Amino acid sequence: MKKLKIFAIAVLAALSFASCEKIGPGMTETVDMAGQWYVQVDGVQGGSTDGLEDLYGMGRFIILTHNTSANIPTEMIVNDLGSFWDFSVKVQCDPSAKTFSVTDGENLSYESRVTISDGKIVPDGTMTPSGMPADYIEFYVVFDDDDYVSDLYDKLKFSGWRYTGFVNDD
């Protein structure tokens, strides 16, 4: 009887350890495109950003790209964490080409529509202020509730680097 109790305890212990197995961090379908990005917003008029750099005078701020709850490789979320326009929008993406876009996408933060075009991520595509290589992100945005789109510029250009966390890169 004593051997049976010990065996039962051993089996229960083994099962409890096996059930605690966890998936490691970063194991999403869009892992290569996901991250924090330190970006600036420029106005684009006629394909040029001349004279419209840092259009709103905000400097650089953090945005996120991350997988959706469906965790499929063809979609991800682009989210400004409310620090610019308060947008969070699901985009179509291609992780192998590292491109993304959406036409007239639903803003998940509040009722509005967002178009993101020509989104791309370039591995080691830029240098941070500290002189280190970092992934580069660039995409163009039009918000349906932006009254200045037709008056001052055609669209907004978001561009920057993958956030490093180093003070010299802020």
Short mmCIF file of all heavy atoms in Angstrom, two decimals, residues 1 11-12 16-17 26 33 42 49 58 64 72 77 86 93 108-109 114-116 119-120 130 133 150 155-156 159 166:
data_model
loop_
_atom_site.label_atom_id
_atom_site.label_comp_id
_atom_site.label_asym_id
_atom_site.label_seq_id
_atom_site.Cartn_x
_atom_site.Cartn_y
_atom_site.Cartn_z
N MET A 1 0.82 -1.19 0.00
CA MET A 1 0.00 0.00 0.00
C MET A 1 0.87 1.26 0.00
O MET A 1 0.55 2.23 -0.67
CB MET A 1 -0.92 -0.05 1.22
CG MET A 1 -1.90 1.07 1.27
SD MET A 1 -3.08 0.80 -0.04
CE MET A 1 -4.34 1.84 0.47
N VAL A 11 3.51 10.08 -9.85
CA VAL A 11 2.78 10.30 -11.10
C VAL A 11 2.14 11.69 -11.09
O VAL A 11 2.22 12.43 -12.09
CB VAL A 11 1.72 9.19 -11.32
CG1 VAL A 11 0.77 9.57 -12.45
CG2 VAL A 11 2.39 7.87 -11.61
N LEU A 12 1.51 12.07 -10.00
CA LEU A 12 0.90 13.40 -9.90
C LEU A 12 1.94 14.50 -10.03
O LEU A 12 1.71 15.52 -10.69
CB LEU A 12 0.12 13.54 -8.59
CG LEU A 12 -1.19 12.76 -8.51
CD1 LEU A 12 -1.78 12.86 -7.10
CD2 LEU A 12 -2.17 13.28 -9.53
N SER A 16 2.03 17.29 -13.01
CA SER A 16 1.95 18.72 -12.71
C SER A 16 3.11 19.47 -13.34
O SER A 16 2.96 20.59 -13.80
CB SER A 16 1.88 18.97 -11.21
OG SER A 16 3.09 18.59 -10.58
N PHE A 17 4.29 18.87 -13.37
CA PHE A 17 5.43 19.53 -14.03
C PHE A 17 5.23 19.59 -15.53
O PHE A 17 5.54 20.58 -16.18
CB PHE A 17 6.75 18.83 -13.71
CG PHE A 17 7.26 19.09 -12.32
CD1 PHE A 17 7.44 18.06 -11.42
CD2 PHE A 17 7.53 20.39 -11.91
CE1 PHE A 17 7.90 18.31 -10.15
CE2 PHE A 17 7.99 20.65 -10.64
CZ PHE A 17 8.17 19.61 -9.74
N GLY A 26 8.17 35.61 -27.44
CA GLY A 26 8.44 35.91 -28.84
C GLY A 26 8.01 34.84 -29.82
O GLY A 26 8.34 34.91 -30.98
N MET A 33 8.35 41.05 -36.90
CA MET A 33 7.83 42.38 -37.18
C MET A 33 7.33 43.09 -35.92
O MET A 33 7.03 44.26 -35.95
CB MET A 33 6.69 42.29 -38.21
CG MET A 33 7.16 41.75 -39.54
SD MET A 33 5.87 41.67 -40.76
CE MET A 33 5.60 43.38 -41.11
N ASP A 42 6.25 62.88 -39.87
CA ASP A 42 6.49 63.97 -40.82
C ASP A 42 5.29 64.09 -41.75
O ASP A 42 4.64 63.09 -42.07
CB ASP A 42 7.75 63.69 -41.65
CG ASP A 42 8.99 63.53 -40.81
OD1 ASP A 42 9.12 64.22 -39.79
OD2 ASP A 42 9.86 62.70 -41.17
N THR A 49 9.01 65.34 -48.07
CA THR A 49 8.84 65.77 -46.68
C THR A 49 9.57 67.09 -46.43
O THR A 49 9.68 67.52 -45.29
CB THR A 49 9.39 64.71 -45.70
OG1 THR A 49 10.76 64.47 -45.99
CG2 THR A 49 8.59 63.43 -45.79
N MET A 58 6.30 67.05 -32.01
CA MET A 58 6.27 66.08 -30.92
C MET A 58 7.60 65.40 -30.68
O MET A 58 7.79 64.76 -29.66
CB MET A 58 5.22 64.99 -31.21
CG MET A 58 3.81 65.51 -31.21
SD MET A 58 2.63 64.19 -31.48
CE MET A 58 2.95 63.16 -30.06
N LEU A 64 3.84 50.61 -31.02
CA LEU A 64 4.00 49.17 -30.95
C LEU A 64 3.49 48.52 -32.23
O LEU A 64 2.52 48.97 -32.82
CB LEU A 64 3.19 48.57 -29.80
CG LEU A 64 3.51 49.00 -28.39
CD1 LEU A 64 2.55 48.32 -27.41
CD2 LEU A 64 4.94 48.67 -28.03
N ILE A 72 -2.01 34.92 -36.38
CA ILE A 72 -1.77 34.39 -37.71
C ILE A 72 -0.72 35.27 -38.40
O ILE A 72 -0.61 36.45 -38.10
CB ILE A 72 -3.06 34.28 -38.54
CG1 ILE A 72 -3.75 35.63 -38.69
CG2 ILE A 72 -4.01 33.26 -37.92
CD1 ILE A 72 -4.97 35.60 -39.59
N ILE A 77 -1.13 44.22 -35.38
CA ILE A 77 -1.68 45.49 -34.90
C ILE A 77 -0.58 46.54 -34.90
O ILE A 77 0.55 46.27 -34.50
CB ILE A 77 -2.23 45.35 -33.46
CG1 ILE A 77 -3.31 44.28 -33.38
CG2 ILE A 77 -2.71 46.70 -32.93
CD1 ILE A 77 -4.65 44.66 -33.91
N ASP A 86 -4.04 58.40 -31.06
CA ASP A 86 -4.82 57.38 -30.38
C ASP A 86 -5.40 56.40 -31.39
O ASP A 86 -6.61 56.30 -31.58
CB ASP A 86 -5.93 57.98 -29.51
CG ASP A 86 -6.52 56.95 -28.54
OD1 ASP A 86 -5.88 55.91 -28.32
OD2 ASP A 86 -7.62 57.20 -28.03
N CYS A 93 -0.16 41.85 -43.22
CA CYS A 93 1.31 41.88 -43.28
C CYS A 93 1.85 40.63 -43.96
O CYS A 93 1.17 39.62 -44.09
CB CYS A 93 1.90 42.04 -41.88
SG CYS A 93 1.59 40.67 -40.76
N LEU A 108 -9.29 50.69 -33.59
CA LEU A 108 -9.80 49.95 -32.44
C LEU A 108 -9.83 50.80 -31.17
O LEU A 108 -10.38 50.38 -30.16
CB LEU A 108 -8.94 48.69 -32.21
CG LEU A 108 -8.86 47.75 -33.41
CD1 LEU A 108 -7.85 46.64 -33.16
CD2 LEU A 108 -10.23 47.18 -33.75
N SER A 109 -9.26 52.02 -31.22
CA SER A 109 -9.23 52.90 -30.05
C SER A 109 -10.49 53.74 -29.92
O SER A 109 -10.95 54.01 -28.82
CB SER A 109 -8.01 53.82 -30.10
OG SER A 109 -6.83 53.07 -30.00
N VAL A 114 -8.65 54.29 -40.59
CA VAL A 114 -7.23 54.55 -40.78
C VAL A 114 -6.74 53.80 -42.01
O VAL A 114 -7.06 52.63 -42.18
CB VAL A 114 -6.40 54.09 -39.55
CG1 VAL A 114 -4.93 54.39 -39.73
CG2 VAL A 114 -6.94 54.70 -38.27
N THR A 115 -5.96 54.47 -42.84
CA THR A 115 -5.29 53.82 -43.97
C THR A 115 -3.79 53.88 -43.72
O THR A 115 -3.24 54.97 -43.49
CB THR A 115 -5.64 54.50 -45.30
OG1 THR A 115 -7.05 54.32 -45.55
CG2 THR A 115 -4.85 53.91 -46.45
N ILE A 116 -3.15 52.73 -43.74
CA ILE A 116 -1.69 52.63 -43.62
C ILE A 116 -1.18 52.03 -44.91
O ILE A 116 -1.65 50.97 -45.35
CB ILE A 116 -1.27 51.77 -42.41
CG1 ILE A 116 -1.69 52.46 -41.12
CG2 ILE A 116 0.23 51.50 -42.44
CD1 ILE A 116 -1.34 51.70 -39.85
N GLY A 119 3.99 50.18 -45.66
CA GLY A 119 4.67 49.85 -44.41
C GLY A 119 5.79 48.85 -44.66
O GLY A 119 5.61 47.87 -45.39
N LYS A 120 6.94 49.11 -44.06
CA LYS A 120 8.07 48.19 -44.22
C LYS A 120 8.96 48.24 -42.99
O LYS A 120 9.04 49.26 -42.30
CB LYS A 120 8.88 48.50 -45.46
CG LYS A 120 9.58 49.84 -45.43
CD LYS A 120 10.36 50.10 -46.71
CE LYS A 120 10.98 51.49 -46.70
NZ LYS A 120 11.72 51.76 -47.92
N SER A 130 23.02 56.73 -30.90
CA SER A 130 24.26 56.27 -30.25
C SER A 130 25.22 55.62 -31.23
O SER A 130 26.31 55.23 -30.86
CB SER A 130 23.93 55.29 -29.12
OG SER A 130 23.39 54.09 -29.65
N PRO A 133 23.56 49.98 -35.09
CA PRO A 133 22.55 49.61 -36.09
C PRO A 133 21.27 49.13 -35.41
O PRO A 133 21.31 48.53 -34.34
CB PRO A 133 23.22 48.48 -36.87
CG PRO A 133 24.25 47.93 -35.95
CD PRO A 133 24.68 49.06 -35.07
N SER A 150 -6.13 67.36 -46.46
CA SER A 150 -6.25 67.98 -47.78
C SER A 150 -5.66 69.38 -47.82
O SER A 150 -5.29 69.86 -48.88
CB SER A 150 -7.72 68.03 -48.21
OG SER A 150 -8.47 68.77 -47.28
N LYS A 155 -0.43 62.96 -46.59
CA LYS A 155 -0.42 61.87 -45.62
C LYS A 155 0.69 62.10 -44.61
O LYS A 155 1.51 63.01 -44.77
CB LYS A 155 -0.26 60.52 -46.32
CG LYS A 155 0.94 60.44 -47.25
CD LYS A 155 0.90 59.19 -48.08
CE LYS A 155 1.93 59.26 -49.20
NZ LYS A 155 1.83 58.11 -50.09
N LEU A 156 0.72 61.27 -43.58
CA LEU A 156 1.75 61.34 -42.55
C LEU A 156 2.74 60.21 -42.76
O LEU A 156 2.35 59.08 -43.05
CB LEU A 156 1.13 61.20 -41.16
CG LEU A 156 0.15 62.28 -40.75
CD1 LEU A 156 -0.55 61.89 -39.45
CD2 LEU A 156 0.87 63.60 -40.58
N SER A 159 8.37 57.16 -39.22
CA SER A 159 9.64 56.48 -39.47
C SER A 159 10.50 56.51 -38.21
O SER A 159 10.43 57.46 -37.43
CB SER A 159 10.39 57.12 -40.64
OG SER A 159 10.69 58.47 -40.36
N PHE A 166 18.29 52.26 -24.63
CA PHE A 166 19.46 53.01 -24.23
C PHE A 166 19.16 54.50 -24.19
O PHE A 166 18.56 55.04 -25.12
CB PHE A 166 20.65 52.74 -25.16
CG PHE A 166 21.13 51.31 -25.10
CD1 PHE A 166 21.10 50.52 -26.24
CD2 PHE A 166 21.60 50.77 -23.92
CE1 PHE A 166 21.53 49.22 -26.19
CE2 PHE A 166 22.05 49.46 -23.87
CZ PHE A 166 22.01 48.67 -25.01
#
